[in-house]
Amino acid sequence: MNRILTTLAAFAAVLSVHAAPAVTQKDKDRAANLVSRMTLEEKIDLCSGKYDRFCTYAIPRLGIPSVRMADGPQGVRNIGGKHIQSTFYPCGVSAAATWNREAIHEMGAGIGCAAKAHGIQIMLGPGVNIYRSALCGRNFEYYGEDPYLASETALAYIQGMQEEGVMATIKHFALNQQEYDRHGTSSNADERTINEIYFASFRKAVEKGGVGAVMTSYNPINGVHAAENSWLVKDNLRAWGFDGIVMSDWESTYNTIGFMTGGVDFEMPVAYAMDPAKVKELLETGVVSETDLDDKCQHILQAFSAFGFLDKDLKADPSAEDAALSQQRAYNVALEGPVLLKNEDGILPLKPGKKNRIVLTGPNADVIVCGGGSGNVIPEDGKGVTLADGLRSLGKNYSVTVAGEPKPQLLKEASVVIVAVGFSRTTESEGSDRNYAFPSEHNDLIEKVLQYNPNVVVVANSGGEFDLKAWGGKVKAILLNWYPGQEGGNALAAILSGKVSPSGRLPFTFWGELKKNPAQKYYGRAPKHPRSNRHNYNLTDYAEGIFLGYRGEDHFDVKPLYPFGYGLTYTNFEYSGISAEASGDGFDISFTVKNTGNFDAKEVAEVYVAPVKPSVLRPARELKGYDKKLVKKGTSETYTIHLGSDAFSYYDVASHAWKVDPGEYRILVGSSADNTLVQTTVTVK
Ligand code: BGC
């Protein structure tokens, strides 16, 4: 009943949202007026976070308040340096795996409400760096390998948050695909790859989402650090019409000239580049101009004005968050994120009844797991719902034993053994790359359980692909559960018991072996690069170019274990009757999906565009649309997905612009990048 009431409340909340703020001419004029009245010292101080690592400098005589920010992106992590408790949502990759824009919009709104409750005006999320290798320590915070899925997920999150009047910060701009030596390794890529793969989410967030802030990354891009890179910020980001705040990542500035002229407005969290003495000296010698400084202040203040920060009371307002609604929002995402990779002999869903003895074990069985670093959030009540809690609350119909140290007796007699393993904040985290394999004691435990009982279900916590070679073929089921947040235990219990069918889909390609990923050999660091030392930094070449993830399957002739977009459920679907109708600047693609099995389930229909005779080298197919609907057993649903002209475009290096070639394109619709179920052809004129 509680859930129904809160769902209705959530629905009402959606209907009552206000439009997201946007910078108007009035905001620009107001900011210009303020800047004209600021002293040089005030201008310099406004452009750094030196007063409290997570807020801006207040200038009370001009009515400019201190604006507070917090991490991000799966809840409100901190107030200043203090780690606080707040609603802990599923991590980014889990959000992307839902393929559910509404649920992510609600998640953004929920975090926006929590921010207001804690007196935070700017949230440091979403993180949208594209997944390139399983080893990146922060994949869990991001939205996977595909620029379309990542940008749609980011857009929904940003819109939900900003409609609550809280500014979102999209990060880390750009090409921050590894944590290994993140300050020192230059990400080198060509213009087309950068635009098609790595800029896409940022660009959509600016052009369609009106995102208020952008955070640059630690790494150099083609040799120039992001926070000092005018090509990145002025020639690209600002050229897309971005009129909000660009901030540096925490301690990612290296010199004052670069920072002053590079186009980034706000240095966090100290004043290293924006040290007043250094800035004044450069102003005096004429190396930098006061206009550079004015531009920074202008951007900061016009964005503050647009979001009402110059006018409203910025104090914490606990009434801004409805705890039950937040819990529901976190639950909804946790319910749709988990991806069922394998399910043999119908081992899932679990069978009720006293005779079906379910044993749960493993290091992640009775703890709330999260990746580490600035994305690590502490649940609202300090503990959250673990998988063990969730299974226990299934009630008397289920026989569940939670075993810390499983005894061979117990294992032999179990009908099913669920082993909860994977990474956690100490093994998958910001600041370093991770191993491909789970900690060895986790893998050993799976092998040990298999010695006594073949009916093993592995529930895995991870932000990306992991090594399952030793046991993947032997266990009956594998559920990739990411870091599912404070409601994860309840959500997973609903899935394992069949109350709700799994509906998550992989937001990246699960190659099955690290070396199968074509990008892997270029990932990390060019070993013994002859010129590394000369430049005093390492280099990583994005030599796979646009052929990242599933885009590289045909190009490099390699097949994954589980393709991008893949995920099993408890029922079967049949696709039929595809048609394409010209509509607006593109086509409406319609088809029917029938649930022919015994469970209600949500089905993600994925639409890929495949150019028949491309004039330039292009991926064989690219995701350009998707929709997720509940299809009840025995019924059918019609899906209609619009493909605009951008669905057919590629980045043309000669004109430095997006281009659509006329001609035929196949439209492939199915349940993963490798599983086309219906298709048609359209002609673009
Ligand atoms: C991270 C950012 C984060 C910031 C503030 C940095 O280490 O890269 O994502 O927002 O810290 O905590």
Side-chain angles (χ1 to χ4, degrees):
M1 183 62 181
N2 248 351
R3 289 230 190 275
I4 296 173
L5 284 179
T6 49
T7 303
L8 288 177
F11 188 52
V14 172
L15 291 182
S16 70
V17 291
H18 31 270
V23 174
T24 62
Q25 191 55 46
K26 221 168 137 197
D27 298 312
K28 290 187 180 173
D29 294 345
R30 185 176 182 189
N33 177 276
L34 286 169
V35 176
S36 73
R37 289 154 59 208
M38 285 163 72
T39 65
L40 180 61
E41 286 73 19
E42 285 170 339
K43 289 182 197 172
I44 298 172
D45 283 352
L46 183 67
C47 296
S48 85
K50 69 176 179 183
Y51 288 94
D52 163 356
R53 299 181 66 89
F54 282 89
C55 55
T56 66
Y57 178 61
I59 311 175
R61 73 173 187 95
L62 295 176
I64 300 173
S66 174
V67 167
R68 191 166 277 290
M69 50 196 87
D71 284 309
Q74 0 177 27
V76 179
R77 176 178 192 262
N78 59 303
I79 296 181
K82 193 168 162 244
H83 204 165
I84 62 162
Q85 291 175 202
S86 76
T87 311
F88 173 25
Y89 287 81
C91 65
V93 74
S94 179
T98 68
W99 297 60
N100 183 332
R101 297 177 181 88
E102 288 78 25
I104 305 311
H105 183 280
E106 284 296 291
M107 173 174 168
I111 298 174
C113 293
K116 288 192 284 190
H118 290 287
I120 304 294
Q121 290 78 48
I122 304 180
M123 284 302 300
L124 303 174
V128 296
N129 295 97
I130 290 290
Y131 179 112
R132 191 167 166 246
S133 155
L135 304 189
C136 172
R138 292 185 89 170
N139 278 333
F140 74 93
E141 292 186 60
Y142 304 148
Y143 296 150
E145 76 181 28
D146 182 76
Y148 181 76
L149 177 64
S151 18
E152 288 293 297
T153 309
L155 188 63
Y157 179 104
I158 291 165
Q159 287 174 334
M161 180 173 283
Q162 296 200 160
E163 281 160 10
E164 290 298 333
V166 172
M167 190 184 288
T169 307
I170 193 164
K171 65 188 189 184
H172 309 87
F173 191 53
L175 284 89
N176 183 186
Q177 269 60 51
Q178 65 185 52
E179 288 299 291
Y180 168 79
D181 188 28
R182 63 179 177 175
H183 288 265
T185 301
S186 176
S187 301
N188 297 337
D190 63 284
E191 184 182 341
R192 180 169 175 203
T193 299
I194 291 176
N195 278 278
E196 288 192 11
I197 308 290
Y198 298 101
F199 274 176
S201 306
F202 295 97
R203 189 163 184 166
K204 194 176 262 183
V206 168
E207 292 181 343
K208 295 228 167 98
V211 70
V214 175
M215 186 192 292
T216 51
S217 54
Y218 283 112
N219 52 290
I221 295 143
N222 290 329
V224 183
H225 272 106
E228 297 159 5
N229 194 324
S230 64
W231 170 83
L232 183 73
V233 177
K234 292 183 175 171
D235 301 352
N236 284 283
L237 183 63
R238 293 286 177 204
W240 306 332
F242 181 65
D243 47 20
I245 302 166
V246 192
M247 71 176 82
S248 74
D249 199 344
W250 270 231
E251 299 183 52
S252 67
T253 57
Y254 306 87
N255 78 79
T256 304
I257 300 177
F259 187 80
M260 277 291 290
T261 57
V264 174
D265 306 311
F266 190 51
E267 182 189 16
M268 289 305 287
V270 289
Y272 175 76
M274 291 307 288
D275 171 26
K278 285 193 219 161
V279 174
K280 282 183 187 167
E281 187 180 344
L282 292 172
L283 284 169
E284 273 160 27
T285 62
V287 166
V288 300
S289 82
E290 200 164 339
T291 320
D292 292 323
L293 197 55
D294 289 353
D295 286 350
K296 296 181 195 305
C297 296
Q298 172 76 30
H299 294 139
I300 295 170
L301 293 173
Q302 71 192 25
F304 282 6
S305 171
F307 277 74
F309 301 160
L310 300 177
D311 304 304
K312 58 185 175 203
D313 185 352
L314 302 184
K315 282 206 213 67
D317 171 14
S319 73
E321 187 179 17
D322 169 343
L325 176 57
S326 294
Q327 192 186 340
Q328 178 74 43
R329 284 166 156 162
Y331 176 81
N332 288 348
V333 178
L335 196 59
E336 299 201 16
V339 177
L340 183 59
L341 295 175
K342 177 176 181 183
N343 188 19
E344 273 177 13
D345 303 336
I347 192 165
L348 294 179
L350 300 170
K351 319 282 170 297
K354 283 270 172 292
K355 283 198 209 130
N356 292 303
R357 294 165 156 215
I358 300 158
V359 171
L360 169 68
T361 186
N364 293 7
D366 207 5
V367 286
I368 283 282
V369 269
C370 181
S374 58
N376 180 219
V377 174
I378 306 178
E380 183 69 47
D381 64 355
K383 51 187 179 49
V385 181
T386 67
L387 178 53
D389 296 334
L391 285 179
R392 283 188 202 108
S393 66
L394 284 176
K396 288 203 186 105
N397 279 345
Y398 287 84
S399 151
V400 179
T401 308
V402 179
E405 280 285 324
K407 303 253 171 2
Q409 285 316 2
L410 188 66
L411 290 176
K412 275 187 205 153
E413 284 167 15
S415 314
V416 179
V417 185
I418 302 171
V419 191
V421 289
F423 297 109
S424 63
R425 70 167 178 269
T426 51
T427 48
E428 183 165 44
S429 173
E430 177 182 348
S432 57
D433 275 354
R434 70 149 163 90
N435 291 331
Y436 184 46
F438 291 155
S440 55
E441 62 275 21
H442 295 225
N443 286 331
D444 293 348
L445 177 66
I446 299 172
E447 299 280 5
K448 178 183 163 188
V449 173
L450 278 166
Q451 284 172 15
Y452 298 104
N453 197 318
N455 296 322
V456 173
V457 174
V458 171
V459 172
N461 293 111
S462 180
E465 172 175 356
F466 49 88
D467 189 356
L468 44 63
K469 229 171 163 197
W471 47 262
K474 298 186 218 160
V475 301
K476 292 263 167 79
I478 306 170
L479 242 171
L480 181 39
N481 192 30
W482 318 111
Y483 299 113
Q486 69 179 41
E487 279 293 312
N490 281 332
L492 206 69
I495 292 173
L496 290 169
S497 65
K499 214 164 98 189
V500 177
S501 302
S503 66
R505 294 287 176 80
L506 283 177
F508 53 80
T509 306
F510 200 118
W511 294 100
E513 265 180 273
L514 195 56
K515 65 172 191 291
K516 267 195 179 180
N517 173 359
Q520 192 59 43
K521 71 174 171 187
Y522 309 115
Y523 178 83
R525 165 189 189 178
K528 296 200 187 78
H529 195 293
R531 297 205 166 173
S532 292
N533 290 338
R534 203 157 109 188
H535 288 288
N536 204 23
Y537 50 68
N538 291 319
L539 310 169
T540 180
D541 292 336
Y542 286 38
E544 72 284 1
I546 56 172
F547 297 103
L548 179 72
Y550 71 89
R551 287 169 165 75
E553 282 180 27
D554 293 33
H555 190 74
F556 296 110
D557 195 20
V558 56
K559 281 278 162 228
L561 178 63
Y562 302 119
F564 171 82
Y566 167 90
L568 300 173
T569 190
Y570 298 150
T571 189
N572 296 308
F573 294 105
E574 257 174 38
Y575 283 58
S576 62
I578 188 166
S579 66
E581 250 184 56
S583 154
D585 65 341
F587 302 89
D588 282 342
I589 310 299
S590 300
F591 49 91
T592 302
V593 176
K594 183 170 184 201
N595 183 338
T596 57
N598 296 321
F599 286 82
D600 296 347
K602 285 192 175 176
E603 170 69 344
V604 179
E606 305 167 27
V607 180
Y608 296 83
V609 173
V612 174
K613 277 193 196 142
S615 64
V616 293
L617 204 56
R618 291 181 75 168
R621 61 204 173 294
E622 294 184 276
L623 181 76
K624 295 296 174 184
Y626 62 88
D627 198 6
K628 185 174 199 176
K629 283 179 190 254
L630 174 67
V631 191
K632 296 202 160 174
K633 60 184 175 195
T635 71
S636 299
E637 289 288 335
T638 301
Y639 288 60
T640 298
I641 295 171
H642 182 71
L643 297 178
S645 65
D646 54 350
F648 303 92
S649 65
Y650 63 94
Y651 186 84
D652 175 44
V653 180
S655 60
H656 308 291
W658 288 86
K659 193 171 168 186
V660 178
D661 284 342
E664 289 194 332
Y665 293 80
R666 286 189 307 139
I667 309 298
L668 315 175
V669 180
S671 60
S672 83
D674 289 0
N675 188 22
T676 299
L677 297 166
V678 278
Q679 58 177 294
T680 185
T681 302
V682 298
T683 304
V684 172
K685 300 222 169 79

